[in-house]
Amino acid sequence: MRRRVLPGFGLSLGYALVYLGLIVLLPLAALAWKASGIGVEGLIRLLSAPRTLAALRLSLGGALLAALINAAIGLLVGWVLVRYRFPGRRLLDALVDLPFALPTAVAGIALTTLYAPHGWLGAWLEPLGIKVAYTPLGVLVAMVFVGFPFVVRTLQPVLASLERDVEEAAESLGARRWQTFFRVILPVLAPTLLTGFALALARAVGEYGSVIFIAGNIPMHSEIAPLLIVQKLEQFDYAGAAALGAVMLLLSFALLVIVALLQRWSGRWAERTT
Amino acid sequence: MSRRLRSRPPGWPRRLGHVALILVAVAFLVLFLVLPLATVFVEALRQGFAAYVATIRQPEAVAAIRLTIIVAAIAVPLNLLFGVAAAWAMTRFEFPGKAALGAFIDLPFSVSPVVSGLVYVLLFGAQGWFGPWLDAHGVKIIFAVPGLVLATIFVTLPFVARELIPLMQAQGSEEEEAARILGASGWQMFFRVTLPNIRWALLYGVLLCNARAMGEFGAVSVVSGHIRGLTTTMPLEVEMRYNEYDYMGAFAVASLLALLALVTLAVKTLLEWRYGDEIAAHAPGGR
């Protein structure tokens, strides 16, 4: 019925498919084709190379840790922004999106300058023996920065829709504040928190611009996987770059699937609780 | 001691807890977000305003600004058209493979920027699929402006579609059906009913798309070749100056990008306040 009344099905879908095919699918096919040129043996050799392993470990491990930190801080910041009224709240709320809006290269050089031994923060941390710039810790700082908005922005609508009477009921039944938080509030937030976590993780795994400046890029120590792809390209090792790119792509695919499943789960969760 | 405690208004320990939480959150936001932003402007103005202005008026900087605007001016409208078409098809019709289409639209968001650039090198580079053919016909895509445009289109492809799909889904198609039944042509219906209904969400999507297009670094750096004055957009100019130890120059160009980010945030916040209902709840991730 609908299909007959509204026009433009062929035109809009056709245009969208051709565009998507040319911009996304064709290049991805080229990636798959080039990557397969390396062969199973080549792939194993590439992935078992210590330098590749170290880079993948840093990208994935750093991203996991950064996403965990972001889940904790994001929960705190989201909670404060939704629950409490204080001067400057709206400004801070708008500021949360800064890592989305600030180009990664700008964030990269700003963070590096800030945490360099003579920087505003680096000068404070240096006497404490904490070196951030040009170490894996710097990679972590940059990853926390770029992933920060995800958890806050996913949590905020759910936090705002929390029914306060459930908390009041818990407290009138004698629960302490932390008991209410861990037994009543956190279970409801858990699926959303996980979604935010996964989004922050996916972003940080592939992050390049904000990380490469602060990382120092020392092979085996502070070199991330995307940088290794760039280096392979610069050495005209197209097959190696493609294979590593395909591995990174599969990783993002897996994360994308997890996010979709989590969203479906949290949707069902919301239906059941309301 | 205990009497004094009891004489306080009830609930003050909790309020103290609230204040503590607020302070921790504010401290984190200031340390982690405000300080890097402040660094950009302080470093850019380190040698005074006159030196700053002179730096951003250097020919390489001007060329980078021009190129950035050109790339965005091509990529954003194309993705705008795509977003509207994809949202129309996906929210007004049922067809097999719809979920897969949605997943492919989202894909560029979850791909590493480096991979987004890499795929075009593999397609159009010297050793790529079309490399020899392009070479024979004298067309340059990689290490030239078309490559920059393609990589930018790739990374910013989801923005408009992602903004429109949930909104158009929520709005439903009754008004459009009514317009058709009352005799409006397809384009009349689109320009008089659909477009006014989605205009603020469209602007919102274009705003974010543009910010990313102008600020993209990773994807563009892979296909650029870093030819000064020819294939360096502003973020690449920032990188090159920084790597040449021209920190003030790097931060001067970076400050322009930071200003763009601030303007984007301001307009975005304004749109959310004034037209929140017409922008609709959208999935986060719109970087």
Side-chain angles (χ1 to χ4, degrees), chain A residues 16 20, chain B residues 79-88 90-91 101-102 105-106 109 156-168 201-202 205-206 209 282:
Chain A
L20 206 61
Chain B
N79 280 338
L80 166 71
L81 272 182
F82 166 76
V84 173
W88 179 257
M90 284 191 59
T91 60
L101 180 61
I105 292 175
D106 275 349
F109 271 167
T156 58
L157 182 132
F159 280 101
V160 176
R162 259 216 175 172
E163 215 46 61
L164 290 183
I165 290 169
L167 177 75
M168 287 172 70
L202 203 59
V206 166
C209 183
H282 45 272

PDB file of all heavy atoms in Angstrom, chain A residues 16 20, chain B residues 79-88 90-91 101-102 105-106 109 156-168 201-202 205-206 209 282:
ATOM      1  N   ALA A  16      21.669   5.316  -3.395  1.00  0.00           N
ATOM      2  CA  ALA A  16      22.374   4.943  -2.162  1.00  0.00           C
ATOM      3  C   ALA A  16      23.252   3.722  -2.399  1.00  0.00           C
ATOM      4  O   ALA A  16      24.403   3.671  -1.939  1.00  0.00           O
ATOM      5  CB  ALA A  16      21.372   4.675  -1.042  1.00  0.00           C
ATOM      6  N   LEU A  20      27.265   3.770  -2.180  1.00  0.00           N
ATOM      7  CA  LEU A  20      27.888   2.933  -1.152  1.00  0.00           C
ATOM      8  C   LEU A  20      28.816   1.904  -1.799  1.00  0.00           C
ATOM      9  O   LEU A  20      29.894   1.605  -1.291  1.00  0.00           O
ATOM     10  CB  LEU A  20      26.789   2.231  -0.348  1.00  0.00           C
ATOM     11  CG  LEU A  20      27.116   1.826   1.073  1.00  0.00           C
ATOM     12  CD1 LEU A  20      27.451   3.039   1.907  1.00  0.00           C
ATOM     13  CD2 LEU A  20      25.937   1.081   1.684  1.00  0.00           C
TER      14      LEU A  20
ATOM     15  N   ASN B  79      27.823  13.669   0.465  1.00  0.00           N
ATOM     16  CA  ASN B  79      27.326  12.840   1.559  1.00  0.00           C
ATOM     17  C   ASN B  79      25.952  13.302   2.043  1.00  0.00           C
ATOM     18  O   ASN B  79      25.178  12.508   2.576  1.00  0.00           O
ATOM     19  CB  ASN B  79      28.321  12.839   2.716  1.00  0.00           C
ATOM     20  CG  ASN B  79      29.454  11.879   2.453  1.00  0.00           C
ATOM     21  OD1 ASN B  79      29.316  10.954   1.649  1.00  0.00           O
ATOM     22  ND2 ASN B  79      30.574  12.097   3.104  1.00  0.00           N
ATOM     23  N   LEU B  80      25.664  14.576   1.841  1.00  0.00           N
ATOM     24  CA  LEU B  80      24.327  15.088   2.158  1.00  0.00           C
ATOM     25  C   LEU B  80      23.289  14.418   1.252  1.00  0.00           C
ATOM     26  O   LEU B  80      22.273  13.883   1.719  1.00  0.00           O
ATOM     27  CB  LEU B  80      24.313  16.610   1.965  1.00  0.00           C
ATOM     28  CG  LEU B  80      22.949  17.295   1.925  1.00  0.00           C
ATOM     29  CD1 LEU B  80      22.334  17.293   3.304  1.00  0.00           C
ATOM     30  CD2 LEU B  80      23.077  18.727   1.427  1.00  0.00           C
ATOM     31  N   LEU B  81      23.574  14.417  -0.058  1.00  0.00           N
ATOM     32  CA  LEU B  81      22.664  13.773  -1.010  1.00  0.00           C
ATOM     33  C   LEU B  81      22.506  12.290  -0.670  1.00  0.00           C
ATOM     34  O   LEU B  81      21.384  11.749  -0.647  1.00  0.00           O
ATOM     35  CB  LEU B  81      23.216  13.892  -2.434  1.00  0.00           C
ATOM     36  CG  LEU B  81      22.837  15.135  -3.209  1.00  0.00           C
ATOM     37  CD1 LEU B  81      23.425  15.065  -4.609  1.00  0.00           C
ATOM     38  CD2 LEU B  81      21.311  15.251  -3.291  1.00  0.00           C
ATOM     39  N   PHE B  82      23.627  11.644  -0.404  1.00  0.00           N
ATOM     40  CA  PHE B  82      23.576  10.225  -0.074  1.00  0.00           C
ATOM     41  C   PHE B  82      22.740   9.994   1.178  1.00  0.00           C
ATOM     42  O   PHE B  82      21.914   9.086   1.228  1.00  0.00           O
ATOM     43  CB  PHE B  82      24.986   9.665   0.140  1.00  0.00           C
ATOM     44  CG  PHE B  82      24.983   8.323   0.804  1.00  0.00           C
ATOM     45  CD1 PHE B  82      24.643   7.185   0.094  1.00  0.00           C
ATOM     46  CD2 PHE B  82      25.287   8.197   2.161  1.00  0.00           C
ATOM     47  CE1 PHE B  82      24.609   5.945   0.713  1.00  0.00           C
ATOM     48  CE2 PHE B  82      25.258   6.969   2.787  1.00  0.00           C
ATOM     49  CZ  PHE B  82      24.911   5.842   2.071  1.00  0.00           C
ATOM     50  N   GLY B  83      22.958  10.829   2.182  1.00  0.00           N
ATOM     51  CA  GLY B  83      22.249  10.651   3.445  1.00  0.00           C
ATOM     52  C   GLY B  83      20.744  10.753   3.265  1.00  0.00           C
ATOM     53  O   GLY B  83      19.986   9.945   3.808  1.00  0.00           O
ATOM     54  N   VAL B  84      20.313  11.746   2.493  1.00  0.00           N
ATOM     55  CA  VAL B  84      18.875  11.922   2.274  1.00  0.00           C
ATOM     56  C   VAL B  84      18.312  10.730   1.501  1.00  0.00           C
ATOM     57  O   VAL B  84      17.273  10.168   1.867  1.00  0.00           O
ATOM     58  CB  VAL B  84      18.599  13.247   1.519  1.00  0.00           C
ATOM     59  CG1 VAL B  84      17.134  13.342   1.136  1.00  0.00           C
ATOM     60  CG2 VAL B  84      19.013  14.439   2.369  1.00  0.00           C
ATOM     61  N   ALA B  85      19.021  10.322   0.439  1.00  0.00           N
ATOM     62  CA  ALA B  85      18.540   9.197  -0.370  1.00  0.00           C
ATOM     63  C   ALA B  85      18.471   7.922   0.468  1.00  0.00           C
ATOM     64  O   ALA B  85      17.458   7.197   0.448  1.00  0.00           O
ATOM     65  CB  ALA B  85      19.461   8.997  -1.578  1.00  0.00           C
ATOM     66  N   ALA B  86      19.541   7.650   1.216  1.00  0.00           N
ATOM     67  CA  ALA B  86      19.573   6.418   2.011  1.00  0.00           C
ATOM     68  C   ALA B  86      18.491   6.436   3.077  1.00  0.00           C
ATOM     69  O   ALA B  86      17.794   5.439   3.304  1.00  0.00           O
ATOM     70  CB  ALA B  86      20.954   6.245   2.654  1.00  0.00           C
ATOM     71  N   ALA B  87      18.300   7.599   3.722  1.00  0.00           N
ATOM     72  CA  ALA B  87      17.288   7.683   4.776  1.00  0.00           C
ATOM     73  C   ALA B  87      15.889   7.523   4.192  1.00  0.00           C
ATOM     74  O   ALA B  87      15.022   6.862   4.779  1.00  0.00           O
ATOM     75  CB  ALA B  87      17.408   9.027   5.508  1.00  0.00           C
ATOM     76  N   TRP B  88      15.661   8.107   3.022  1.00  0.00           N
ATOM     77  CA  TRP B  88      14.345   7.982   2.384  1.00  0.00           C
ATOM     78  C   TRP B  88      14.053   6.508   2.063  1.00  0.00           C
ATOM     79  O   TRP B  88      12.990   5.991   2.391  1.00  0.00           O
ATOM     80  CB  TRP B  88      14.290   8.829   1.109  1.00  0.00           C
ATOM     81  CG  TRP B  88      12.981   8.742   0.388  1.00  0.00           C
ATOM     82  CD1 TRP B  88      12.723   8.023  -0.739  1.00  0.00           C
ATOM     83  CD2 TRP B  88      11.746   9.367   0.765  1.00  0.00           C
ATOM     84  NE1 TRP B  88      11.408   8.156  -1.098  1.00  0.00           N
ATOM     85  CE2 TRP B  88      10.787   8.984  -0.191  1.00  0.00           C
ATOM     86  CE3 TRP B  88      11.370  10.216   1.814  1.00  0.00           C
ATOM     87  CZ2 TRP B  88       9.454   9.415  -0.122  1.00  0.00           C
ATOM     88  CZ3 TRP B  88      10.055  10.649   1.870  1.00  0.00           C
ATOM     89  CH2 TRP B  88       9.115  10.246   0.916  1.00  0.00           C
ATOM     90  N   MET B  90      15.414   3.851   3.348  1.00  0.00           N
ATOM     91  CA  MET B  90      15.390   2.957   4.505  1.00  0.00           C
ATOM     92  C   MET B  90      14.210   3.182   5.439  1.00  0.00           C
ATOM     93  O   MET B  90      13.811   2.275   6.158  1.00  0.00           O
ATOM     94  CB  MET B  90      16.697   3.083   5.295  1.00  0.00           C
ATOM     95  CG  MET B  90      17.830   2.347   4.588  1.00  0.00           C
ATOM     96  SD  MET B  90      19.293   2.200   5.592  1.00  0.00           S
ATOM     97  CE  MET B  90      18.711   1.313   7.001  1.00  0.00           C
ATOM     98  N   THR B  91      13.669   4.409   5.464  1.00  0.00           N
ATOM     99  CA  THR B  91      12.590   4.655   6.416  1.00  0.00           C
ATOM    100  C   THR B  91      11.208   4.632   5.775  1.00  0.00           C
ATOM    101  O   THR B  91      10.203   4.621   6.467  1.00  0.00           O
ATOM    102  CB  THR B  91      12.757   6.029   7.111  1.00  0.00           C
ATOM    103  OG1 THR B  91      12.741   7.049   6.113  1.00  0.00           O
ATOM    104  CG2 THR B  91      14.054   6.090   7.880  1.00  0.00           C
ATOM    105  N   LEU B 101      22.293  -2.997   4.782  1.00  0.00           N
ATOM    106  CA  LEU B 101      22.572  -1.659   4.257  1.00  0.00           C
ATOM    107  C   LEU B 101      22.908  -0.708   5.407  1.00  0.00           C
ATOM    108  O   LEU B 101      23.874   0.055   5.348  1.00  0.00           O
ATOM    109  CB  LEU B 101      21.356  -1.153   3.469  1.00  0.00           C
ATOM    110  CG  LEU B 101      21.483   0.237   2.845  1.00  0.00           C
ATOM    111  CD1 LEU B 101      22.609   0.288   1.846  1.00  0.00           C
ATOM    112  CD2 LEU B 101      20.171   0.670   2.199  1.00  0.00           C
ATOM    113  N   GLY B 102      22.097  -0.800   6.480  1.00  0.00           N
ATOM    114  CA  GLY B 102      22.352   0.040   7.654  1.00  0.00           C
ATOM    115  C   GLY B 102      23.732  -0.214   8.239  1.00  0.00           C
ATOM    116  O   GLY B 102      24.454   0.721   8.594  1.00  0.00           O
ATOM    117  N   ILE B 105      26.378   1.376   6.089  1.00  0.00           N
ATOM    118  CA  ILE B 105      26.435   2.831   6.239  1.00  0.00           C
ATOM    119  C   ILE B 105      27.250   3.193   7.476  1.00  0.00           C
ATOM    120  O   ILE B 105      28.026   4.134   7.473  1.00  0.00           O
ATOM    121  CB  ILE B 105      25.012   3.421   6.323  1.00  0.00           C
ATOM    122  CG1 ILE B 105      24.302   3.271   4.984  1.00  0.00           C
ATOM    123  CG2 ILE B 105      25.064   4.895   6.732  1.00  0.00           C
ATOM    124  CD1 ILE B 105      22.861   3.701   4.987  1.00  0.00           C
ATOM    125  N   ASP B 106      27.090   2.398   8.544  1.00  0.00           N
ATOM    126  CA  ASP B 106      27.813   2.672   9.795  1.00  0.00           C
ATOM    127  C   ASP B 106      29.291   2.307   9.719  1.00  0.00           C
ATOM    128  O   ASP B 106      30.091   2.791  10.510  1.00  0.00           O
ATOM    129  CB  ASP B 106      27.187   1.873  10.945  1.00  0.00           C
ATOM    130  CG  ASP B 106      26.009   2.615  11.531  1.00  0.00           C
ATOM    131  OD1 ASP B 106      25.846   3.796  11.192  1.00  0.00           O
ATOM    132  OD2 ASP B 106      25.272   2.016  12.327  1.00  0.00           O
ATOM    133  N   PHE B 109      32.542   4.484  10.356  1.00  0.00           N
ATOM    134  CA  PHE B 109      32.799   4.971  11.712  1.00  0.00           C
ATOM    135  C   PHE B 109      33.677   4.026  12.506  1.00  0.00           C
ATOM    136  O   PHE B 109      34.379   4.452  13.419  1.00  0.00           O
ATOM    137  CB  PHE B 109      31.485   5.157  12.463  1.00  0.00           C
ATOM    138  CG  PHE B 109      30.889   6.520  12.285  1.00  0.00           C
ATOM    139  CD1 PHE B 109      29.596   6.780  12.668  1.00  0.00           C
ATOM    140  CD2 PHE B 109      31.641   7.545  11.746  1.00  0.00           C
ATOM    141  CE1 PHE B 109      29.051   8.041  12.510  1.00  0.00           C
ATOM    142  CE2 PHE B 109      31.094   8.807  11.580  1.00  0.00           C
ATOM    143  CZ  PHE B 109      29.790   9.050  11.964  1.00  0.00           C
ATOM    144  N   THR B 156      33.439  10.441   6.252  1.00  0.00           N
ATOM    145  CA  THR B 156      32.306  11.245   6.704  1.00  0.00           C
ATOM    146  C   THR B 156      30.976  10.741   6.152  1.00  0.00           C
ATOM    147  O   THR B 156      29.948  11.371   6.353  1.00  0.00           O
ATOM    148  CB  THR B 156      32.471  12.726   6.291  1.00  0.00           C
ATOM    149  OG1 THR B 156      32.608  12.785   4.869  1.00  0.00           O
ATOM    150  CG2 THR B 156      33.688  13.344   6.934  1.00  0.00           C
ATOM    151  N   LEU B 157      31.011   9.596   5.467  1.00  0.00           N
ATOM    152  CA  LEU B 157      29.793   9.089   4.827  1.00  0.00           C
ATOM    153  C   LEU B 157      28.606   8.888   5.765  1.00  0.00           C
ATOM    154  O   LEU B 157      27.482   9.200   5.410  1.00  0.00           O
ATOM    155  CB  LEU B 157      30.145   7.784   4.085  1.00  0.00           C
ATOM    156  CG  LEU B 157      29.028   7.103   3.301  1.00  0.00           C
ATOM    157  CD1 LEU B 157      29.503   6.747   1.915  1.00  0.00           C
ATOM    158  CD2 LEU B 157      28.546   5.858   4.002  1.00  0.00           C
ATOM    159  N   PRO B 158      28.808   8.379   6.992  1.00  0.00           N
ATOM    160  CA  PRO B 158      27.624   8.053   7.800  1.00  0.00           C
ATOM    161  C   PRO B 158      26.897   9.249   8.424  1.00  0.00           C
ATOM    162  O   PRO B 158      25.739   9.104   8.804  1.00  0.00           O
ATOM    163  CB  PRO B 158      28.183   7.175   8.930  1.00  0.00           C
ATOM    164  CG  PRO B 158      29.562   6.807   8.514  1.00  0.00           C
ATOM    165  CD  PRO B 158      30.029   7.902   7.627  1.00  0.00           C
ATOM    166  N   PHE B 159      27.549  10.411   8.551  1.00  0.00           N
ATOM    167  CA  PHE B 159      27.010  11.458   9.413  1.00  0.00           C
ATOM    168  C   PHE B 159      25.562  11.849   9.130  1.00  0.00           C
ATOM    169  O   PHE B 159      24.713  11.831  10.022  1.00  0.00           O
ATOM    170  CB  PHE B 159      27.883  12.712   9.344  1.00  0.00           C
ATOM    171  CG  PHE B 159      29.115  12.604  10.199  1.00  0.00           C
ATOM    172  CD1 PHE B 159      30.339  12.308   9.641  1.00  0.00           C
ATOM    173  CD2 PHE B 159      29.039  12.790  11.558  1.00  0.00           C
ATOM    174  CE1 PHE B 159      31.473  12.206  10.428  1.00  0.00           C
ATOM    175  CE2 PHE B 159      30.164  12.688  12.355  1.00  0.00           C
ATOM    176  CZ  PHE B 159      31.378  12.387  11.782  1.00  0.00           C
ATOM    177  N   VAL B 160      25.279  12.246   7.876  1.00  0.00           N
ATOM    178  CA  VAL B 160      23.936  12.748   7.570  1.00  0.00           C
ATOM    179  C   VAL B 160      22.911  11.612   7.640  1.00  0.00           C
ATOM    180  O   VAL B 160      21.845  11.759   8.249  1.00  0.00           O
ATOM    181  CB  VAL B 160      23.923  13.433   6.185  1.00  0.00           C
ATOM    182  CG1 VAL B 160      22.521  13.865   5.828  1.00  0.00           C
ATOM    183  CG2 VAL B 160      24.862  14.628   6.183  1.00  0.00           C
ATOM    184  N   ALA B 161      23.246  10.470   7.065  1.00  0.00           N
ATOM    185  CA  ALA B 161      22.313   9.341   7.066  1.00  0.00           C
ATOM    186  C   ALA B 161      21.950   8.944   8.494  1.00  0.00           C
ATOM    187  O   ALA B 161      20.784   8.734   8.831  1.00  0.00           O
ATOM    188  CB  ALA B 161      22.933   8.155   6.327  1.00  0.00           C
ATOM    189  N   ARG B 162      22.968   8.895   9.361  1.00  0.00           N
ATOM    190  CA  ARG B 162      22.754   8.488  10.742  1.00  0.00           C
ATOM    191  C   ARG B 162      21.854   9.437  11.508  1.00  0.00           C
ATOM    192  O   ARG B 162      21.176   9.051  12.441  1.00  0.00           O
ATOM    193  CB  ARG B 162      24.101   8.465  11.443  1.00  0.00           C
ATOM    194  CG  ARG B 162      24.634   7.111  11.554  1.00  0.00           C
ATOM    195  CD  ARG B 162      25.329   7.067  12.866  1.00  0.00           C
ATOM    196  NE  ARG B 162      25.777   5.728  13.100  1.00  0.00           N
ATOM    197  CZ  ARG B 162      26.552   5.407  14.102  1.00  0.00           C
ATOM    198  NH1 ARG B 162      26.965   6.339  14.919  1.00  0.00           N
ATOM    199  NH2 ARG B 162      26.887   4.173  14.285  1.00  0.00           N
ATOM    200  N   GLU B 163      21.946  10.716  11.142  1.00  0.00           N
ATOM    201  CA  GLU B 163      21.131  11.726  11.816  1.00  0.00           C
ATOM    202  C   GLU B 163      19.690  11.610  11.351  1.00  0.00           C
ATOM    203  O   GLU B 163      18.755  11.769  12.144  1.00  0.00           O
ATOM    204  CB  GLU B 163      21.702  13.095  11.436  1.00  0.00           C
ATOM    205  CG  GLU B 163      21.647  14.124  12.504  1.00  0.00           C
ATOM    206  CD  GLU B 163      22.114  13.620  13.831  1.00  0.00           C
ATOM    207  OE1 GLU B 163      23.283  13.220  13.936  1.00  0.00           O
ATOM    208  OE2 GLU B 163      21.304  13.644  14.771  1.00  0.00           O
ATOM    209  N   LEU B 164      19.498  11.342  10.047  1.00  0.00           N
ATOM    210  CA  LEU B 164      18.155  11.384   9.470  1.00  0.00           C
ATOM    211  C   LEU B 164      17.362  10.111   9.728  1.00  0.00           C
ATOM    212  O   LEU B 164      16.153  10.169   9.943  1.00  0.00           O
ATOM    213  CB  LEU B 164      18.247  11.617   7.954  1.00  0.00           C
ATOM    214  CG  LEU B 164      18.722  13.000   7.516  1.00  0.00           C
ATOM    215  CD1 LEU B 164      18.682  13.103   6.004  1.00  0.00           C
ATOM    216  CD2 LEU B 164      17.867  14.085   8.143  1.00  0.00           C
ATOM    217  N   ILE B 165      18.031   8.948   9.688  1.00  0.00           N
ATOM    218  CA  ILE B 165      17.275   7.687   9.734  1.00  0.00           C
ATOM    219  C   ILE B 165      16.401   7.569  10.989  1.00  0.00           C
ATOM    220  O   ILE B 165      15.196   7.341  10.869  1.00  0.00           O
ATOM    221  CB  ILE B 165      18.212   6.475   9.547  1.00  0.00           C
ATOM    222  CG1 ILE B 165      18.714   6.451   8.103  1.00  0.00           C
ATOM    223  CG2 ILE B 165      17.498   5.171   9.875  1.00  0.00           C
ATOM    224  CD1 ILE B 165      19.841   5.488   7.835  1.00  0.00           C
ATOM    225  N   PRO B 166      16.960   7.768  12.212  1.00  0.00           N
ATOM    226  CA  PRO B 166      16.076   7.641  13.383  1.00  0.00           C
ATOM    227  C   PRO B 166      14.952   8.670  13.396  1.00  0.00           C
ATOM    228  O   PRO B 166      13.818   8.349  13.768  1.00  0.00           O
ATOM    229  CB  PRO B 166      17.015   7.839  14.576  1.00  0.00           C
ATOM    230  CG  PRO B 166      18.313   8.240  14.044  1.00  0.00           C
ATOM    231  CD  PRO B 166      18.345   8.008  12.581  1.00  0.00           C
ATOM    232  N   LEU B 167      15.246   9.896  12.935  1.00  0.00           N
ATOM    233  CA  LEU B 167      14.228  10.949  12.940  1.00  0.00           C
ATOM    234  C   LEU B 167      13.100  10.624  11.979  1.00  0.00           C
ATOM    235  O   LEU B 167      11.917  10.677  12.337  1.00  0.00           O
ATOM    236  CB  LEU B 167      14.859  12.289  12.561  1.00  0.00           C
ATOM    237  CG  LEU B 167      13.855  13.437  12.478  1.00  0.00           C
ATOM    238  CD1 LEU B 167      13.457  13.882  13.865  1.00  0.00           C
ATOM    239  CD2 LEU B 167      14.406  14.616  11.698  1.00  0.00           C
ATOM    240  N   MET B 168      13.453  10.248  10.736  1.00  0.00           N
ATOM    241  CA  MET B 168      12.419   9.977   9.738  1.00  0.00           C
ATOM    242  C   MET B 168      11.624   8.730  10.098  1.00  0.00           C
ATOM    243  O   MET B 168      10.440   8.630   9.810  1.00  0.00           O
ATOM    244  CB  MET B 168      13.050   9.860   8.348  1.00  0.00           C
ATOM    245  CG  MET B 168      13.485  11.214   7.817  1.00  0.00           C
ATOM    246  SD  MET B 168      14.431  11.143   6.289  1.00  0.00           S
ATOM    247  CE  MET B 168      13.165  10.632   5.127  1.00  0.00           C
ATOM    248  N   ALA B 201      17.584  18.537  11.600  1.00  0.00           N
ATOM    249  CA  ALA B 201      18.412  17.335  11.707  1.00  0.00           C
ATOM    250  C   ALA B 201      19.431  17.296  10.566  1.00  0.00           C
ATOM    251  O   ALA B 201      20.575  16.881  10.744  1.00  0.00           O
ATOM    252  CB  ALA B 201      17.537  16.090  11.671  1.00  0.00           C
ATOM    253  N   LEU B 202      18.981  17.762   9.402  1.00  0.00           N
ATOM    254  CA  LEU B 202      19.871  17.804   8.241  1.00  0.00           C
ATOM    255  C   LEU B 202      21.040  18.755   8.510  1.00  0.00           C
ATOM    256  O   LEU B 202      22.204  18.430   8.270  1.00  0.00           O
ATOM    257  CB  LEU B 202      19.064  18.290   7.031  1.00  0.00           C
ATOM    258  CG  LEU B 202      19.569  17.922   5.649  1.00  0.00           C
ATOM    259  CD1 LEU B 202      19.639  16.423   5.494  1.00  0.00           C
ATOM    260  CD2 LEU B 202      18.648  18.509   4.591  1.00  0.00           C
ATOM    261  N   GLY B 205      23.412  17.171  10.973  1.00  0.00           N
ATOM    262  CA  GLY B 205      24.260  16.163  10.335  1.00  0.00           C
ATOM    263  C   GLY B 205      25.336  16.806   9.480  1.00  0.00           C
ATOM    264  O   GLY B 205      26.506  16.402   9.519  1.00  0.00           O
ATOM    265  N   VAL B 206      24.969  17.839   8.724  1.00  0.00           N
ATOM    266  CA  VAL B 206      25.928  18.527   7.861  1.00  0.00           C
ATOM    267  C   VAL B 206      27.017  19.190   8.700  1.00  0.00           C
ATOM    268  O   VAL B 206      28.201  19.160   8.361  1.00  0.00           O
ATOM    269  CB  VAL B 206      25.204  19.569   6.977  1.00  0.00           C
ATOM    270  CG1 VAL B 206      26.195  20.529   6.342  1.00  0.00           C
ATOM    271  CG2 VAL B 206      24.395  18.867   5.901  1.00  0.00           C
ATOM    272  N   CYS B 209      29.340  16.502   9.886  1.00  0.00           N
ATOM    273  CA  CYS B 209      30.025  15.972   8.707  1.00  0.00           C
ATOM    274  C   CYS B 209      31.128  16.930   8.279  1.00  0.00           C
ATOM    275  O   CYS B 209      32.256  16.531   8.006  1.00  0.00           O
ATOM    276  CB  CYS B 209      28.993  15.798   7.588  1.00  0.00           C
ATOM    277  SG  CYS B 209      29.642  15.084   6.096  1.00  0.00           S
ATOM    278  N   HIS B 282      19.410  10.372  18.932  1.00  0.00           N
ATOM    279  CA  HIS B 282      20.215   9.654  17.962  1.00  0.00           C
ATOM    280  C   HIS B 282      21.268   8.846  18.700  1.00  0.00           C
ATOM    281  O   HIS B 282      21.702   9.215  19.780  1.00  0.00           O
ATOM    282  CB  HIS B 282      20.869  10.618  16.986  1.00  0.00           C
ATOM    283  CG  HIS B 282      21.471  11.797  17.667  1.00  0.00           C
ATOM    284  ND1 HIS B 282      20.743  12.940  17.921  1.00  0.00           N
ATOM    285  CD2 HIS B 282      22.682  11.993  18.193  1.00  0.00           C
ATOM    286  CE1 HIS B 282      21.511  13.790  18.569  1.00  0.00           C
ATOM    287  NE2 HIS B 282      22.696  13.246  18.754  1.00  0.00           N
TER     288      HIS B 282
END
